Amino acid sequence: MTALDGTSAADRIHRPWQDPALPVAERVDALLAEMTLEEKVGQLGSRWLGNTMGTDQADQVGEPGEGAEGTANVAPLQDLFAASGTVPFEEAVRHGLGHLTRVFGSAPVTAAEGAAEVARLQSEVVKHSRLGVPALVHEECLTGFTTYGATVYPAAIAWGATFDPDLVERMAAAIGRDMRAVGVHQGLSPVLDVVRDYRWGRVEETMGEDPYLVATLGAAYVRGLEGAGVIATLKHFAGYSASRAARNHGPVPMGRRELMDMILPPFEAAIVEGGARSVMNSYCDLDGVPAAADAWLLTDLLRDEWGFTGTVVSDYWAIPFLATMHRVAADAEEAGARALAAGVDVELPDTLGFGPHLTGRVRRGELPESLVDRAARRLLTQKVELGLLDPDWTPERSVAGAGAVDLDSPANRALAREVAERSIVLLDAGTTLPLLGEGRPEPRRVAVVGPCADDPRTFMGCYAFPNHVLPRHPGLGLGVAAPSLLDALRAELPGAEVVHEPGCEVRGDDRSGFAAALRAAREADVCVAVVGDLAGMFGLGTSGEGCDAEDLRLPGAQEDLLTELAATGTPVVVVVVSGRPYALGEVSRAAAALVQSFMPGEEGGAAVAGVLSGRVQPGGKLPVQIPRGPGGQPGTYLQPPLGTDSEGISNLDPTPLFPFGHGASYTSFTIDSLRIGDAEVPTDGEFTVSARVRNTGGRAGEEVVQLYLHDVVAQVTRPVLQLTGFARVPLEPGASAVVTFTVPADLTAFTGRDLRRVVEPGEVEVFVGASASDLPCRGRIRLTGPLRHVGVGRRLVTRVDVEPAPGSFAEQQGGTDAGQS
């Protein structure tokens, strides 16, 4: 048999890089030695054939409000780069190609159509390059595989609300299996940015505002995706979420200490604990140095200190942005040289900065060839590990699983439902929830109002295919079954008459629908008002990339609608479906109950309806605070003393309406009986903290037991509280369990005055409870011995053990399970 590159099977097996019996490094060495400089440079680039937005696609887009939202770019300035044109594909792959960009994620194609296109493009890559090295195929997977007809899971901020790493890992594994079946090698997820300002549009893509929570869930996601054979890509490295005024791509005026202690820990954990094989640079500049050109960040820290051996891929067009946006390079060619020297290995989504000019720079002595070799070696290592250079690899075999894959299978949907249900946060049951049971009469007439009540797109993030790509194709619907909350409530409450009036749109100030909504509410026993966000891209939504907020008031006229609904006298249950936390201080005063659902995905309607009826026991916890007022400079719970309410210092009180970690239930829990192992622990040791959690109510439920620490006196200011462990514990009525945290002293480390990470001797306060403001168990330990400098190799995780309490109902029934950090 003759291969696409003209070689026979016998010839191919004699190429050392195609010999599976040889070590990976030896195969890569052999291939690099065979490659010309042009071929090595070719491996550093990519090609996005689906980027046609600036030309023919623009004609297919309707006006906003007519089924499409503007031109709907899916990457920053996509239309400008598309209009500028790139070289033909055959020319682009003449010396080889590193990546194929978003074959599935650029336009609506079926799994079979996408797989056929992957096979066709891979055949072209192999045929037109001398050595026939295939390309890696990458896709987005922030809320599931971003392609037409694939399951839309809840957004990442909802994963944070689950406090359930095992569930997140199972979800990522399912996403990875689907991607791998159709020939995808790399997923551009997870987002490990730690929220610093709720106004930032990409809060929905994060897992919250606490670095330990994000690290634990992020590492779990990485394990799931990598375990399915798909390379996980950590983004955005680093500081992106702390941009000035929460503006997308804005400068980040952050000191090194805050960066090291708040922003970087999730990335390190995902590499060390999760095994991530790729990192994507941030668009932002850190104290004036753009991440894509920061050798300290991409090489000194990431590789030399942390030991990362995978690839660094550029965020889309981040390399030419060094010239056009940051203006630290004269043009794209100089930007490419700067990025390569800093540590970027592969340019995405198209080759602009890493083009043939790099060859000329090397030959003129302006750029060391060793930098090209360094980057090419890293990418080729992954191609060998993925089997792309094995002698039996063919384009057709690489997509062989596409014929049998169901991208929205019943198993996927069940998993999406589980994530959605476990993410919903009951802020306050008030006097009205649950709608069924609890001795209340079943409502005869329910008014469901608000712009998010009958639009399932509001359940989906900006990288969900229905919101990300389908606005360009308004005739195709959503591509998946996604019942709205209105549909779900009608199924959930078969004995009630459920009427609907939207009242207003998510955006805009049109109040012409208020009168009908108010009339429906007056005539109902209870009103369910569903408000929040509609995700979009670059200003075409209220949440999402480039959809930043001026303040934290609900968008448009929604808060005014809620105010007038409350005045009807009918109990109003407010359900906020959003990608960021909104200020609900005024809303809470008049609401009969409050529920927060962070973009719960295609199964979100049934999940929220189940919580409202009482069929589903809510157990989600806030991964971000809910602010009281919309103005000021929003801040997270991770504050030193002067960042909290400082009576007599400032007239502004930053105390949230609902704190980090808060979440109510239809049962009740107590947390008590704190026990601390050794009161004195060496700075290189560990200590144990245990507490009992009891279900004191009449229903089964789950409580998230949370451990916080506080360094009493330190050489620099430290947070008043910081999450250091958690466990989600299911309990039957009357049951209790003992949760034991084994905390390495390493987790008390912080960046000292000399910018080295230290574990200091001294007192540490210990808190255990149900949220950052509900901490009934308090104690202290003392770290003894010398100050320790810690770095790579330090322990990053608190071990958690959950056992039935002696004599408890759970022990009598044979034990209990718990998700744990």
Side-chain angles (χ1 to χ4, degrees):
M1 182 179 71
T2 301
L4 290 169
D5 61 356
T7 60
S8 68
D11 291 335
R12 287 163 63 87
I13 197 62
H14 289 302
R15 293 175 165 182
W17 58 86
Q18 293 181 313
D19 185 353
L22 294 177
V24 170
E26 193 171 323
R27 295 172 69 183
V28 173
D29 286 343
L31 181 53
L32 272 176
E34 179 68 20
M35 281 181 160
T36 65
L37 177 59
E38 287 80 3
E39 288 167 338
K40 288 185 287 189
V41 169
Q43 290 298 312
L44 313 186
S46 59
R47 192 71 173 89
W48 189 6
L49 287 184
N51 182 23
T52 57
M53 189 55 206
T55 54
D56 58 307
Q57 290 282 354
D59 296 333
Q60 301 178 25
V61 178
E63 293 298 320
E66 295 181 355
E69 296 290 335
T71 55
N73 279 359
V74 301
L77 304 183
Q78 176 189 350
D79 47 351
L80 298 181
F81 283 103
S84 68
T86 52
V87 298
F89 187 70
E90 182 176 333
E91 175 64 20
V93 304
R94 185 162 62 92
H95 296 298
L97 188 69
H99 275 237
L100 285 168
T101 295
R102 297 188 63 174
V103 178
F104 288 88
S106 301
V109 295
T110 65
E113 291 167 342
E117 180 66 357
V118 166
R120 184 186 75 81
L121 294 175
Q122 291 281 35
S123 297
E124 293 292 305
V125 172
V126 171
K127 180 173 67 175
H128 291 294
S129 55
R130 180 176 69 94
L131 296 175
V133 178
L136 257 68
V137 180
H138 76 257
E139 297 286 347
E140 296 282 4
C141 53
L142 290 166
T143 62
F145 183 9
T146 303
T147 190
Y148 185 66
T151 303
V152 179
Y153 293 91
I157 191 66
W159 314 345
T162 70
F163 276 70
D164 191 338
D166 293 338
L167 177 60
V168 171
E169 183 172 344
R170 286 194 287 121
M171 177 193 67
I175 295 168
R177 286 191 296 270
D178 286 347
M179 296 173 76
R180 200 70 181 94
V182 296
V184 177
H185 307 107
Q186 182 160 346
L188 303 187
S189 190
V191 169
L192 298 183
D193 297 305
V194 177
V195 175
R196 304 300 286 166
D197 190 326
Y198 308 135
R199 298 171 299 174
W200 189 49
R202 303 190 80 167
V203 167
E204 65 170 62
E205 299 175 43
T206 77
M207 287 171 264
E209 66 183 59
D210 181 86
Y212 187 82
L213 177 65
V214 176
T216 305
L217 298 177
Y221 183 96
V222 168
R223 285 193 296 271
L225 204 66
E226 291 275 1
V230 175
I231 294 171
T233 310
L234 313 180
K235 58 189 194 182
H236 306 86
F237 194 66
Y240 191 23
S241 58
S243 59
R244 183 180 283 129
R247 293 182 67 252
N248 190 39
H249 293 212
V252 177
M254 177 183 287
R256 186 66 58 88
R257 182 172 294 104
E258 183 179 357
L259 178 72
M260 297 290 288
D261 289 348
M262 296 296 165
I263 300 298
L264 294 180
F267 292 92
E268 184 177 9
I271 292 167
V272 174
E273 301 291 333
R277 287 184 285 171
S278 193
V279 169
M280 174 179 279
N281 72 272
S282 166
Y283 285 122
C284 70
D285 72 76
L286 281 166
D287 195 24
V289 181
D294 191 343
W296 172 81
L297 184 69
L298 302 182
T299 298
D300 298 349
L301 176 74
L302 178 64
R303 297 191 184 279
D304 297 344
E305 184 174 335
W306 291 358
F308 178 67
T309 59
T311 55
V312 173
V313 298
S314 77
D315 207 340
Y316 282 19
W317 295 301
I319 291 178
F321 283 171
L322 293 175
T324 60
M325 298 294 188
H326 294 292
R327 301 180 188 175
V328 297
D331 51 31
E333 295 185 2
E334 183 184 343
R338 287 186 179 275
L340 183 66
V344 177
D345 301 311
V346 181
E347 180 178 15
L348 304 181
D350 264 315
T351 307
L352 296 177
F354 279 6
H357 67 88
L358 288 180
T359 304
R361 285 177 178 263
V362 170
R363 293 211 163 105
R364 293 192 300 271
E366 300 169 1
L367 186 73
E369 187 171 357
S370 60
L371 294 179
V372 175
D373 290 349
R374 180 181 73 175
R377 180 184 302 279
R378 292 165 180 164
L379 180 63
L380 292 172
T381 296
Q382 293 184 341
K383 291 187 175 184
V384 171
E385 290 171 345
L386 291 164
L388 272 66
L389 297 180
D390 289 353
D392 60 349
W393 183 93
T394 65
E396 294 74 24
R397 188 171 295 169
S398 73
V399 298
V405 70
D406 179 355
L407 296 180
D408 193 28
S409 66
N412 282 6
R413 295 190 69 96
L415 186 53
R417 174 83 70 94
E418 184 179 0
V419 178
E421 289 179 348
R422 292 171 77 82
S423 72
I424 296 168
V425 182
L426 177 63
L427 297 176
D428 185 356
T431 58
T432 308
L433 291 183
L435 294 175
L436 303 180
E438 307 287 329
R440 297 188 185 95
E442 181 175 349
R444 294 170 299 172
R445 184 179 176 91
V446 178
V448 181
V449 305
C452 300
D454 196 30
D455 187 353
R457 294 178 303 161
T458 62
F459 294 164
M460 302 176 184
C462 72
Y463 272 82
F465 199 83
N467 286 337
H468 197 64
V469 174
L470 289 181
R472 300 188 194 176
H473 307 273
L476 292 181
L478 300 179
V480 292
S484 69
L485 180 54
L486 175 65
D487 297 331
L489 277 172
R490 283 175 170 155
E492 193 78 26
L493 305 173
E497 179 186 3
V498 178
V499 298
H500 168 62
E501 291 291 343
C504 64
E505 298 294 328
V506 171
R507 299 197 297 172
D509 197 40
D510 183 358
R511 298 159 189 252
S512 59
F514 274 28
L518 296 173
R519 183 167 54 252
R522 288 190 193 96
E523 296 171 355
D525 299 315
V526 64
C527 173
V528 176
V530 193
V531 295
D533 282 320
L534 175 59
M537 302 286 287
F538 308 110
L540 298 179
T542 59
S543 175
E545 185 172 358
C547 297
D548 311 312
E550 292 184 357
D551 60 31
L552 295 174
R553 180 182 169 90
L554 282 165
Q558 294 181 87
E559 186 167 326
D560 293 339
L561 174 63
L562 294 178
T563 299
E564 296 196 29
L565 287 170
T568 64
T570 299
V572 178
V573 176
V574 177
V575 179
V576 182
V577 181
S578 64
R580 66 165 61 83
Y582 284 104
L584 301 180
E586 293 298 322
V587 172
S588 68
R589 291 187 178 93
L594 277 172
V595 175
Q596 173 69 59
S597 180
F598 291 110
M599 292 185 173
E602 66 181 35
E603 287 286 339
V608 175
V611 167
L612 295 178
S613 73
R615 174 179 55 82
V616 174
Q617 173 71 283
K621 298 286 187 173
L622 288 174
V624 288
Q625 300 178 122
I626 300 294
R628 191 176 300 275
Q633 190 75 342
T636 72
Y637 91 100
L638 288 165
Q639 299 291 333
L642 286 176
T644 62
D645 183 21
S646 305
E647 188 174 352
I649 301 297
S650 172
N651 63 309
L652 299 179
D653 181 2
T655 304
L657 180 65
F658 295 103
F660 175 86
H662 170 78
S665 173
Y666 295 142
T667 189
S668 57
F669 299 93
T670 61
I671 299 173
D672 56 20
S673 303
L674 178 71
R675 298 186 65 179
I676 296 175
D678 294 324
E680 293 193 353
V681 179
T683 53
D684 62 352
E686 64 182 24
F687 58 94
T688 61
V689 178
S690 65
R692 179 181 62 174
V693 55
R694 293 185 294 163
N695 184 342
T696 56
R699 290 186 56 175
E702 296 181 333
E703 179 62 290
V704 178
V705 181
Q706 302 163 41
L707 169 70
Y708 295 84
L709 300 182
H710 171 233
D711 197 336
V712 177
V713 177
Q715 59 180 270
V716 298
T717 60
R718 300 289 295 136
V720 172
L721 288 172
Q722 187 158 5
L723 184 72
T724 314
F726 59 88
R728 184 161 178 153
V729 184
L731 291 170
E732 294 295 324
S736 60
V738 174
V739 181
T740 301
F741 302 96
T742 302
V743 186
D746 289 356
L747 284 177
T748 69
F750 59 89
T751 302
R753 292 190 181 189
D754 61 359
L755 296 182
R756 291 193 293 172
R757 194 177 297 276
V758 298
V759 177
E760 270 192 331
E763 287 194 326
V764 176
E765 290 184 311
V766 176
F767 305 87
V768 180
S771 77
S773 69
D774 179 11
L775 298 168
C777 298
R778 304 184 178 206
R780 290 194 179 203
I781 62 104
R782 176 177 289 278
L783 295 175
T784 62
L787 179 145
R788 288 177 59 229
H789 289 99
V790 295
V792 66
R794 74 185 189 282
R795 296 167 66 184
L796 303 174
V797 179
T798 293
R799 191 178 81 241
V800 185
D801 297 293
V802 181
E803 298 291 342
S808 74
F809 174 85
E811 184 181 60
Q812 297 166 18
Q813 298 299 311
T816 184
D817 296 322
Q820 62 185 44
S821 64

